[in-house]
Amino acid sequence: MHFSSTFKNSLVVLSAVFLLIISRLLSSSVYIVIQPSYYLAIHTIIETFSIVVSLTISLQCIILYPYTKSDRRLFLGILFLLVGFFDMMHTLSYKGMPFFGLSITGERATYFWLIARITEAIGLVLYSLNRIPRKKVILTFGLTYLITVCFIVVKLGYLLPPMLNKAGGVTGLKVIVEYIICSLDIAAIFLLSTKSLNDREERNYLIYALFLMLLSEIVFTFYKNVYDIDTFIGHVFKVIGYSFLLRSILVNNVKKPFIREIISKHNFDKVFQFAPVGLAILEKSTYVFLEVNESFRNNLKISLGDIIGKTPLEIGFSKQEWHKVIKFIQETNYGLLESKNSEVTLNSKVNITVQISIGTINFNHKECLLCSFTDITEQKRLQESLKTSEERLLKVFKSSPSMISIVRKSDNSLIDVNDQFLSKRGFLLEEVIGKTLIDLGFPPKEYNDLLDLLKNRGYITNYETKMARKDGLKGSILVSGESVKFNGEEYIIFSTSDITELKRLQAEIFHLDRLNLVAQMAAGIGHEIRNPMTTVRGYLQLLGVKPEYSSQKSIFELMISELDRANSIISEFLSLARTKKAELELQNLNGILNNLYPLLEADTFNQNKQIEFVPGTIPDILINKKEITQLVLNLTRNGLEAMKERGRLRITTFSETGHVVLTIEDEGCGISDEDLAKLGTPFFTTKDYGTGLGLATCFKIAQNHQAKIDIDSGLQGTKFIITFPVPLELMAGKQMAV
């Protein structure tokens, strides 16, 4: 029948208790159990066993300290070194031992015994409490304690109070000391029972040992003579207790490490064989394969019999590549596993790329190299593919015709923009990174609307708004965007198209459509209306000179003036309806403006306003004097009407690359964005008595001259910018002259 070790140990302890009970029952009838002639030899043998156990425990704990680094174990080693030494002094100083020249009685032996037991009991209490001083304190105190005790007992023992009576029994003082030792043993047992050590088996053995040593101390309070049954039983309990004590220490210092070693080797074999990477063990001196795992064989498509006992060159490794690996091995710090990529060429002409990690191990009592070979051929292919994809994506990002920006969602800062964004907005890259789109001129309200749309829908498509350039000029844009996640952080990718020019072209087309509509109307009804109006005007003049209608003369004059006003509107209609191109002549724009200046100056003087003309150096261009005069008069008179008294009208001309620019700028109240979009539309006017055809005529004239009209309006006034092209032959001649 198989019994557990716990049951066996408990049975030994119960047997000891039963033996104690029997000894007490027989103590009165069985007085001497050991013959005096044999007692000294038996006592020496028993105590020698205790000494050997103590020193064994001590040496194990002290020798293994460099590996365990445990002050607790070191304390236990020093403790049992002291106990073993005191037990040895107890044995050597026993009555009848020939090792001391002094006349020593049993008193000194008894003192060494008691000091050994007290030291042991106090030490085990501290060990159970885990209240262990540091290494230096343990060594210093242990040496001092040993020397002091030996000096006092050996040299001054005759001054100490007696522990034995004349009959060979114990005194009351010794009984008290024994009870103190028993109390300390009980305290240690209690602490070990309530506190869990790292190893339960070690704790149980310590408890058994303490319990038996407790029984031994109790028995030594009873004996009447060193030869009686109590003395014998006490020494027996001590021997059994020390055997448990030895087993407790052996469990931790021998048995457990041995088991861990076996388990570690078993686990290593498991990990080695079933590792997902190829593993190989090579003898360090010869580079011969001693062991390889299944993954290694599968990766290289070689059987185990074709590998073991051979070198890498013999199983198909490329000579050139293996020399690289050898160099790597020679440069490796074997305290750490280091990695290197190396291409291995097999006999089958199949190239695979592996990542090699190398470290040193002891295998079958030989210094070997543990090498791991991870096949990264597919990984490298994917990396190359990913690299190519990233390069393509970067090219698309950088060279996209749309303005692309990447915004970190957490703080709305820009982390990257493409070249089109920088060129269109007029910024440098360092001026953009880390800033927000609002910092770069995006309207805050519209940007918050974009974020709300992203939050609700997850994407944005063709959101139209305006955004300022670095130079302050605003342009129309279409914004599309989507949220993405990179490396666990959320970003927004915005794709922005500048539609400023498209909007301008749309506006021009709209104006041209309205002008064409007016032209068609004017062409259809202009002449038909003017003919009857001329007839009516003639009859009104005729009636107005007759005497009988003299009282109605003012009415006839009013009617004639209204007919003239209607006729002027029809004339403007007809000017818009002209399909015949105006004859353009090569002349200087400054000449036309100089001729008009006196007329314009008179108008401003009459209105208590000012005019300033700043002519620049400009080349001749193809223009129609009559139409340009009408354009300038319309724009200047509009500017004068928009200003209050003392306002200033400024006319400038200058030359740009391939263009001549005319600007007419007033200091009026400006034009609202809503009205600005409608300017040039026939019949649209903000004046009380306007027809809305003046600016439409200006746009028609600009179209006839292939010129462009831009309007910049704000609270400080409005500026009309008319850009005329310079004839190509003049530009070519100027370049040749240069």
Side-chain angles (χ1 to χ4, degrees):
M1 184 180 292
H2 175 73
F3 296 101
S4 66
S5 59
T6 303
F7 177 78
K8 291 177 182 178
N9 296 332
S10 301
L11 190 61
V12 170
V13 172
L14 290 174
S15 299
V17 174
F18 180 74
L19 183 60
L20 174 62
I21 295 171
I22 294 299
S23 69
R24 295 312 304 146
L25 294 174
L26 298 176
S27 61
S28 58
S29 58
V30 181
Y31 182 68
I32 296 177
V33 296
I34 303 175
Q35 293 298 321
S37 58
Y38 302 115
Y39 178 79
L40 185 61
I42 294 172
H43 177 268
T44 302
I45 292 170
I46 292 174
E47 291 300 333
T48 300
F49 173 79
S50 301
I51 294 167
V52 170
V53 170
S54 296
L55 294 179
T56 301
I57 294 171
S58 174
L59 289 174
Q60 285 185 7
C61 293
I62 294 173
I63 291 173
L64 293 176
Y65 177 75
Y67 304 98
T68 63
K69 301 295 183 184
S70 171
D71 288 343
R72 195 162 181 259
R73 290 288 172 188
L74 179 64
F75 172 79
L76 199 64
I78 299 300
L79 172 65
F80 278 96
L81 180 64
L82 295 174
V83 171
F85 188 83
F86 292 145
D87 278 340
M88 183 178 68
M89 293 299 294
H90 161 72
T91 303
L92 295 177
S93 63
Y94 207 78
K95 186 176 180 181
M97 295 297 287
F99 298 100
F100 287 94
L102 298 175
S103 176
I104 298 177
T105 65
E107 291 290 349
R108 285 184 173 81
T110 304
Y111 269 109
F112 276 120
W113 165 274
L114 293 174
I115 291 170
R117 303 288 78 76
I118 290 175
T119 302
E120 180 183 69
I122 294 175
L124 289 176
V125 169
L126 293 175
Y127 183 77
S128 303
L129 287 171
N130 201 15
R131 295 288 189 267
I132 307 302
R134 294 190 179 274
K135 176 183 176 182
K136 290 183 179 180
V137 177
I138 295 171
L139 297 176
T140 304
F141 177 79
L143 181 60
T144 305
Y145 180 68
L146 177 63
I147 294 172
T148 303
V149 168
C150 289
F151 177 79
I152 292 174
V153 175
V154 174
K155 294 296 183 182
L156 305 177
Y158 63 91
L159 298 176
L160 298 175
M163 294 293 175
L164 300 175
N165 55 35
K166 293 180 180 180
V170 295
T171 64
L173 178 60
K174 183 178 185 299
V175 173
I176 293 172
V177 174
E178 293 285 7
Y179 283 145
I180 292 173
I181 296 170
C182 291
S183 300
L184 292 171
D185 287 339
I186 292 171
I189 292 171
F190 174 77
L191 291 171
L192 287 171
S193 301
T194 56
K195 290 197 173 188
S196 59
L197 297 179
N198 293 335
D199 192 287
R200 186 177 179 182
E201 192 174 6
E202 177 198 10
R203 182 194 67 177
N204 291 339
Y205 279 132
L206 274 177
I207 291 175
Y208 294 143
L210 283 166
F211 184 76
L212 286 164
M213 288 188 287
L214 171 64
L215 295 181
S216 175
E217 298 303 324
I218 292 173
V219 169
F220 280 122
T221 62
F222 300 146
Y223 82 91
K224 302 295 187 297
N225 191 285
V226 293
Y227 309 116
D228 65 10
I229 191 170
D230 291 325
T231 304
F232 176 74
I233 294 300
H235 281 88
V236 170
F237 287 165
K238 181 186 175 186
V239 168
I240 300 173
Y242 266 57
S243 67
F244 277 112
L245 197 60
L246 180 61
R247 292 176 70 183
S248 170
I249 303 305
L250 288 176
V251 163
N252 257 292
N253 290 349
V254 178
K255 179 182 175 182
K256 294 298 182 183
F258 179 73
I259 293 174
R260 283 197 295 267
E261 181 70 21
I262 294 175
I263 294 173
S264 296
K265 187 177 185 308
H266 179 69
N267 291 338
F268 173 80
D269 290 340
K270 274 189 175 180
V271 171
F272 183 84
Q273 290 299 331
F274 297 105
V277 299
L279 295 175
I281 299 176
L282 289 79
E283 189 173 355
K284 188 176 179 182
S285 58
T286 61
Y287 300 128
V288 169
F289 284 101
L290 300 180
E291 188 67 67
V292 295
N293 70 345
E294 186 176 355
S295 295
F296 182 88
R297 300 193 299 273
N298 292 338
N299 287 340
L300 300 185
K301 306 294 188 296
I302 303 175
S303 65
L304 183 63
D306 294 331
I307 297 176
I308 302 302
K310 297 182 180 180
T311 66
L313 290 176
E314 292 173 331
I315 68 169
F317 278 64
S318 162
K319 185 175 181 180
Q320 180 181 0
E321 296 299 329
W322 178 243
H323 285 165
K324 291 181 183 178
V325 176
I326 291 176
K327 183 179 179 182
F328 169 58
I329 291 172
Q330 292 170 347
E331 295 173 351
T332 299
N333 175 12
Y334 292 113
L336 299 170
L337 287 177
E338 297 191 1
S339 299
K340 184 180 179 66
N341 289 341
S342 178
E343 188 172 304
V344 179
T345 305
L346 303 180
N347 289 331
S348 59
K349 306 301 182 183
V350 177
N351 294 332
I352 64 171
T353 303
V354 296
Q355 187 179 51
I356 303 176
S357 297
I358 300 175
T360 56
I361 62 170
N362 189 289
F363 183 76
N364 292 339
H365 309 292
K366 295 180 181 178
E367 189 175 11
C368 300
L369 298 173
L370 174 63
C371 304
S372 73
F373 299 85
T374 307
D375 187 351
I376 58 171
T377 308
E378 183 65 16
Q379 180 182 337
K380 282 199 70 176
R381 188 190 67 78
L382 292 175
Q383 286 176 347
E384 292 296 329
S385 176
L386 179 61
K387 183 180 178 181
T388 303
S389 299
E390 288 176 346
E391 289 175 352
R392 289 174 182 169
L393 182 61
L394 183 62
K395 285 182 180 178
V396 171
F397 174 74
K398 289 295 184 183
S399 59
S400 173
S402 297
M403 295 179 285
I404 301 178
S405 55
I406 303 176
V407 175
R408 186 186 293 110
K409 208 169 185 180
S410 59
D411 58 3
N412 292 317
S413 63
L414 287 159
I415 65 166
D416 202 2
V417 296
N418 67 346
D419 296 338
Q420 189 73 358
F421 184 98
L422 298 174
S423 62
K424 287 285 187 181
R425 302 262 64 87
F427 289 97
L428 298 175
L429 184 63
E430 56 267 22
E431 295 175 322
V432 170
I433 302 303
K435 300 292 182 62
T436 66
L437 287 174
I438 295 176
D439 296 334
L440 303 181
F442 204 102
K445 182 180 181 302
E446 280 78 356
Y447 186 75
N448 291 328
D449 291 342
L450 285 178
L451 296 182
D452 290 339
L453 284 173
L454 269 175
K455 184 178 180 181
N456 295 331
R457 294 193 306 187
Y459 65 92
I460 307 165
T461 304
N462 294 335
Y463 182 94
E464 185 174 339
T465 183
K466 290 184 178 293
M467 185 175 180
R469 290 168 42 91
K470 182 181 178 181
D471 55 15
L473 293 177
K474 286 186 177 180
S476 298
I477 56 173
L478 283 179
V479 183
S480 298
E482 190 165 348
S483 295
V484 295
K485 184 174 283 189
F486 301 140
N487 297 326
E489 189 166 3
E490 290 191 352
Y491 297 88
I492 306 170
I493 297 180
F494 287 114
S495 177
T496 308
S497 300
D498 192 333
I499 58 170
T500 306
E501 184 65 17
L502 178 63
K503 296 283 286 186
R504 188 188 68 79
L505 292 174
Q506 287 177 342
E508 286 189 6
I509 292 171
F510 176 75
H511 290 313
L512 289 174
D513 287 343
R514 296 298 296 267
L515 289 174
N516 289 333
L517 177 63
V518 172
Q520 292 172 11
M521 292 174 59
I525 65 174
H527 291 289
E528 298 300 326
I529 293 176
R530 291 184 79 177
N531 289 336
M533 285 179 60
T534 302
T535 303
V536 172
R537 189 178 188 282
Y539 277 107
L540 287 174
Q541 285 179 327
L542 182 62
L543 291 172
V545 297
K546 290 185 177 183
E548 61 268 30
Y549 294 113
S550 59
S551 61
Q552 305 295 326
K553 185 176 181 179
S554 60
I555 297 174
F556 289 133
E557 290 177 350
L558 177 62
M559 294 170 68
I560 291 170
S561 67
E562 288 299 312
L563 286 172
D564 289 340
R565 182 170 177 269
N567 188 51
S568 68
I569 294 173
I570 293 172
S571 297
E572 291 186 29
F573 262 124
L574 292 175
S575 69
L576 292 174
R578 283 195 200 101
T579 57
K580 181 181 178 181
K581 286 188 177 181
E583 295 182 1
L584 305 180
E585 297 179 1
L586 193 63
Q587 50 189 313
N588 198 284
L589 182 59
N590 285 342
I592 297 174
L593 294 173
N594 283 325
N595 292 334
L596 279 176
Y597 187 73
L599 177 61
L600 299 175
E601 191 176 33
D603 286 346
T604 56
F605 179 78
N606 291 333
Q607 298 179 35
N608 194 21
K609 297 171 185 176
Q610 303 177 53
I611 188 169
E612 180 182 2
F613 175 42
V614 183
T617 302
I618 58 175
D620 294 344
I621 55 176
L622 291 172
I623 52 179
N624 181 282
K625 181 178 180 181
K626 182 179 178 182
E627 288 190 348
I628 295 301
T629 299
Q630 184 179 1
L631 180 144
V632 173
L633 287 174
N634 284 350
L635 293 179
T636 54
R637 286 171 177 168
N638 282 344
L640 290 172
E641 290 175 4
M643 294 191 302
K644 297 179 180 179
E645 291 188 1
R646 299 181 182 278
R648 179 182 295 273
L649 186 72
R650 181 182 175 89
I651 303 173
T652 60
T653 59
F654 57 90
S655 177
E656 279 187 346
T657 305
H659 297 89
V660 170
V661 181
L662 164 67
T663 66
I664 300 173
E665 183 177 3
D666 64 52
E667 295 180 350
C669 59
I671 305 170
S672 67
D673 290 341
E674 183 180 356
D675 292 342
L676 197 61
K678 299 177 183 178
L679 286 185
T681 304
F683 306 115
F684 172 75
T685 180
T686 58
K687 302 175 185 178
D688 293 337
Y689 300 101
T691 62
L693 295 174
L695 278 178
T697 302
C698 291
F699 278 96
K700 177 70 174 179
I701 293 170
Q703 181 187 3
N704 293 340
H705 287 75
Q706 297 181 356
K708 182 178 70 171
I709 298 178
D710 292 313
I711 306 170
D712 185 12
S713 184
L715 297 177
Q716 304 301 319
T718 302
K719 179 194 284 189
F720 284 84
I721 306 160
I722 306 96
T723 306
F724 297 91
V726 176
L728 293 176
E729 57 271 18
L730 291 181
M731 292 178 61
K734 183 177 180 182
Q735 290 176 352
M736 291 178 63
V738 173

